[in-house]
Amino acid sequence: MKIIVPATSANLGPGFDSLGLALSLYNTIAITPASITSIQIIGEGKDNVRLKTDNIFVKIFSEILQSFDKKVECKFLFENNIPVSRGLGSSSAVIVSAIYAAYAYAKKPLDKDAMLNIAIKYENHPDNITPALFGGFNVAALQYSHKSTKNEITQNVLRITAPIPKDISAVVVVPNKSISTKLSRKALPKTYNLKDCVFNLSHSSLLTAAFLSHDWEKLRLASRDKLHQNVRMKNLPILFGLQKLSLNNGALSSTLSGSGSSFLNICYKEDSAHLCKVLQEAFPKFRVLELEFDNLGVRECKC
């Protein structure tokens, strides 16, 4: 069995912890029955010993199988293309693909909404796990409910997913330095003023409407943010110049991907090669990826 899962980009500017989309950059996981569990990693993380001794995918995969009263030994071959700790959803890709793989291995119905509400137990924010599961552009929100019998609060994810057409592309810049999600969250203000909150509410609403109506000219304005981007970008100031150069060379929007350090540029398909060239020349030490959007999400690969 072979599972493929896409990279994701979250927030998209003002949609803090709620908006995300999937990109055509993938991790694949080949799983075969074996007499003893073994792990092999190709690509990102191949030299990280912890990924072989304390592998999160294997842990979640085993936990889900145990919930189905199944226990198996497998050989796992990971081919990782999603950069680690760069704001492209590498952690969510692990969580989502492990849950999906367990369902597929146990021959259970592949109910992605059920999987989403399992995934949120491992990842508290739905903006990356949702596009990793469903592909496309996603709006996700948490719904909380209280179980009076056990005095427990549970959370479910409400989401709207829409495919992204082929007339726009992504140019993703991956810096050679990471920005810690945990540390960048700690750096954010504890309180915000009403004006900035309303600014982000209105702009994230406009951004959602632009994606659903394919009104791409609205993206430049709609992707502006006042809650988190500037604070996070100060950890790597060169990103301010990268954003300005992108917007001056055909980017419809240029936003920090998740907590960074990667940057997501959305542009018309015919402008992507030029934008890619300009950014690669200006930032030769960074990786510049010309990508499409993925509209399928995690899935079993028959290749």
Side-chain angles (χ1 to χ4, degrees), residues 4 42 46 53 60 62 99 107 146-147 174-175 180 196 205 214 248 290:
I4 183 171
I42 299 171
K46 65 179 180 179
T53 59
I60 296 174
S62 299
I99 296 169
K107 294 182 168 42
H146 185 266
K147 290 185 178 180
V174 185
S180 165
D196 287 348
S205 299
H214 301 172
N248 287 339
E290 190 176 357

Side-chain angles (χ1 to χ4, degrees), residues 68-80:
F68 297 145
D69 294 322
K70 295 181 182 292
K71 185 178 180 180
V72 296
E73 300 290 341
C74 295
K75 174 184 176 182
F76 298 90
L77 173 59
F78 297 91
E79 298 180 32
N80 297 335

Side-chain angles (χ1 to χ4, degrees), residues 24-45:
S24 63
L25 179 67
Y26 305 97
N27 285 355
T28 60
I29 308 95
I31 305 170
T32 53
S35 58
I36 187 171
T37 295
S38 64
I39 297 171
Q40 181 181 356
I41 300 173
I42 299 171
E44 294 282 337

Side-chain angles (χ1 to χ4, degrees), residues 8-238:
T8 53
S9 185
N11 300 327
L12 310 182
F16 189 60
D17 282 356
S18 58
L19 301 183
L21 50 75
L23 299 160
S24 63
L25 179 67
Y26 305 97
N27 285 355
T28 60
I29 308 95
I31 305 170
T32 53
S35 58
I36 187 171
T37 295
S38 64
I39 297 171
Q40 181 181 356
I41 300 173
I42 299 171
E44 294 282 337
K46 65 179 180 179
D47 298 322
N48 189 330
V49 176
R50 186 179 60 82
L51 295 183
K52 296 181 181 179
T53 59
D54 186 27
N55 190 281
I56 300 300
F57 179 100
V58 176
K59 280 188 174 182
I60 296 174
F61 178 81
S62 299
E63 286 174 7
I64 303 300
L65 283 183
Q66 286 174 13
S67 73
F68 297 145
D69 294 322
K70 295 181 182 292
K71 185 178 180 180
V72 296
E73 300 290 341
C74 295
K75 174 184 176 182
F76 298 90
L77 173 59
F78 297 91
E79 298 180 32
N80 297 335
N81 293 300
I82 303 174
V84 178
S85 299
R86 293 295 190 279
L88 290 170
S90 60
S91 297
S92 292
V94 170
I95 294 166
V96 162
S97 58
I99 296 169
Y100 186 94
Y103 268 73
Y105 199 94
K107 294 182 168 42
K108 296 291 183 179
L110 299 176
D111 182 345
K112 286 190 174 183
D113 280 301
M115 294 179 201
L116 181 59
N117 288 315
I118 295 172
I120 198 64
K121 297 175 183 178
Y122 294 96
E123 169 57 68
N124 291 327
H125 309 112
D127 49 351
N128 278 119
I129 57 174
T130 308
L133 266 164
F134 295 95
F137 168 77
N138 290 262
V139 184
L142 292 177
Q143 179 185 45
Y144 297 94
S145 58
H146 185 266
K147 290 185 178 180
S148 57
T149 54
K150 293 184 178 181
N151 199 30
E152 292 179 352
I153 296 176
T154 60
Q155 54 186 14
N156 294 313
V157 182
L158 303 177
R159 55 101 191 173
I160 292 177
T161 300
I164 302 174
K166 297 293 185 182
D167 57 336
I168 59 170
S169 296
V171 175
V172 176
V173 182
V174 185
N176 52 5
K177 294 182 180 179
S178 64
I179 294 177
S180 165
T181 301
K182 187 176 182 179
L183 292 178
S184 71
R185 277 188 176 270
K186 285 185 177 180
L188 296 178
K190 297 295 186 290
T191 60
Y192 292 93
N193 65 56
L194 180 61
K195 185 177 180 180
D196 287 348
C197 291
V198 171
F199 181 95
N200 267 55
L201 282 169
S202 62
H203 283 71
S204 61
S205 299
L206 183 63
L207 185 68
T208 299
F211 267 95
L212 297 180
S213 64
H214 301 172
D215 188 354
W216 310 126
E217 294 296 327
K218 294 287 196 306
L219 291 184
R220 187 182 182 107
L221 173 64
S223 61
R224 293 173 62 196
D225 160 83
K226 287 195 175 183
L227 297 188
H228 71 102
Q229 275 201 152
N230 284 355
V231 174
R232 287 170 158 169
M233 288 165 64
K234 286 177 182 176
N235 291 312
L236 195 58
I238 195 173

